[in-house]
Amino acid sequence: MTISRAAQAAGVGVETVRFYERKDLIEQPPKPAASGFRSYPEETIERIRFIRQAQELGFSLREVRELLELRADPGADAADVRARATAKLDDVNEKMRQLQRIGQALEALIASCPGHGELGCCSIMEALEGHEKADVGATQAVDTKPRSG
């Protein structure tokens, strides 16, 4: 199966297949001795689907690689996969709490804004600039730094 057909069968774009190859998540089939197209086996398509599904559940490429390693290990235990899924759920729940705090901070900023007048008197802009005059108590608890993972 050509790369374009393999990508279509897996529900991704050709560039996604190439990206997974570059990241060593899937193997690139050998090029035929005679000029022609590489042939992707069904196992590769299934692996791409697995990777995509894991990503949709929030697993990073590093975590996907670990899951693939577990999948290939005949001695692996379901408890290992469960532990990883539980850790991912904990991470998702923490991100939801963080987004809730951000939402509350934005609601407080919006509520304190008169919604008219000169921009220099805008309480939202003052809060973003870190001026003491603005009521930013709600924003101080919000950590908007991106987390690795």
Side-chain angles (χ1 to χ4, degrees):
M1 186 176 311
T2 64
I3 191 170
S4 61
R5 290 184 190 244
Q8 184 178 18
V12 299
V14 170
E15 286 304 314
T16 299
V17 175
R18 289 187 177 126
F19 176 76
Y20 291 164
E21 288 173 343
R22 286 191 304 272
K23 294 296 184 181
D24 292 324
L25 292 169
I26 61 171
E27 287 186 31
Q28 185 182 55
K31 190 162 184 156
S35 65
F37 297 104
R38 299 178 194 275
S39 180
Y40 288 78
E42 182 63 34
E43 296 81 35
T44 299
I45 295 164
E46 291 172 13
R47 190 171 172 103
I48 293 169
R49 288 180 185 141
F50 180 94
I51 294 166
R52 198 56 158 168
Q53 184 65 28
Q55 284 185 296
E56 287 179 11
L57 289 173
F59 289 97
S60 68
L61 289 180
R62 179 186 51 79
E63 293 165 330
V64 169
R65 184 180 317 282
E66 293 169 359
L67 289 171
L68 288 167
E69 289 168 2
L70 285 173
R71 184 180 184 219
D73 180 3
D77 190 283
D80 294 331
V81 178
R82 188 176 201 278
R84 283 169 167 71
T86 300
K88 181 51 60 180
L89 178 60
D90 291 344
D91 185 44
V92 167
N93 285 331
E94 177 55 34
K95 287 178 182 177
M96 288 191 318
R97 285 188 291 274
Q98 183 181 15
L99 287 172
Q100 187 65 35
R101 288 191 301 270
I102 291 170
Q104 291 169 350
L106 283 169
E107 287 174 354
L109 287 173
I110 292 167
S112 71
C113 178
H116 63 285
E118 294 182 22
L119 190 57
C121 298
C122 177
S123 58
I124 297 172
M125 293 299 280
E126 289 174 359
L128 295 174
E129 293 168 356
H131 292 237
E132 296 296 322
K133 191 166 121 177
D135 180 16
V136 294
T139 62
Q140 291 173 347
V142 177
D143 178 14
T144 57
K145 294 177 187 169
R147 294 174 46 186
S148 63

